[in-house]
Amino acid sequence: PSADVPSNATEEYNGSAWTGGGNLSNARYYGGSLGTQTSSLITGGDNRPPGSATNTFTELYDGSSWTAGTAYPTAVTLASGLGTTPAGLMLNGGYTYSSTTNEYNGSWTSGGSLNTARRWIGTAGTQTAGLAFGGQIPPSGYSTNVTEEYGGTSWTSGGAMPSARIQHSGLGTQASSLSFGG
């Protein structure tokens, strides 16, 4: 698709090749996601040329098709997710700096607030053993190496990253994670 048009495409990887999956009901840019290939969700994002969060749509994927889920509590874009469905955690913070998190257990509820508000955060782990690392902090806009660990209700300080990062990706568990790009 054109860079100027939000996409509803889904691609699945089988270990050696990518194939088309079921299309999203709501085309978007920059949605936050979590889960596995056969049980995942996407929420928020832009549904027009990028610039601000414009929707709260949550969609659930069962490995072949997307269905409507419970709306996210607020319009959000570039959110960072971790965990699975129905036990996930979404960290706000796309165009705005945020310490807000929301847990997904079939519907959205407030999670513990991050100690350091930021955006463009890397994540790994599960809803009860999560990790948030790096990101951009206000008011300077500089990247950070701050790491926080989630125990299911609150965030505590973790070991600092070797270098500050923003707009990076992460995966793994709270005790064995990987950060790349940024």
Side-chain angles (χ1 to χ4, degrees), residues 55-106:
N55 73 55
T56 60
F57 302 125
T58 297
E59 296 185 54
L60 306 169
Y61 193 64
D62 63 7
S64 61
S65 62
W66 294 92
T67 57
T70 306
Y72 198 70
T74 186
V76 65
T77 191
L78 294 164
S80 299
L82 58 90
T84 62
T85 59
L89 183 70
M90 195 67 64
L91 289 67
N92 291 3
Y95 298 123
T96 60
Y97 299 100
S98 179
S99 61
T100 302
T101 71
N102 289 285
E103 296 181 357
Y104 183 79
N105 295 305

Side-chain angles (χ1 to χ4, degrees), residues 82-83 87-89 103 125-131 149-154 174:
L82 58 90
L89 183 70
E103 296 181 357
T126 66
Q127 188 184 75
T128 57
L131 199 63
E149 298 177 358
Y150 193 64
T153 57
S154 62
Q174 188 182 70

Side-chain angles (χ1 to χ4, degrees), residues 15-45:
S16 62
W18 291 94
T19 59
N23 286 339
L24 289 162
S25 300
N26 296 284
R28 64 187 88 196
Y29 301 95
Y30 307 135
S33 61
L34 58 86
T36 66
Q37 187 183 71
T38 58
S39 181
S40 58
L41 70 76
I42 185 171
T43 197

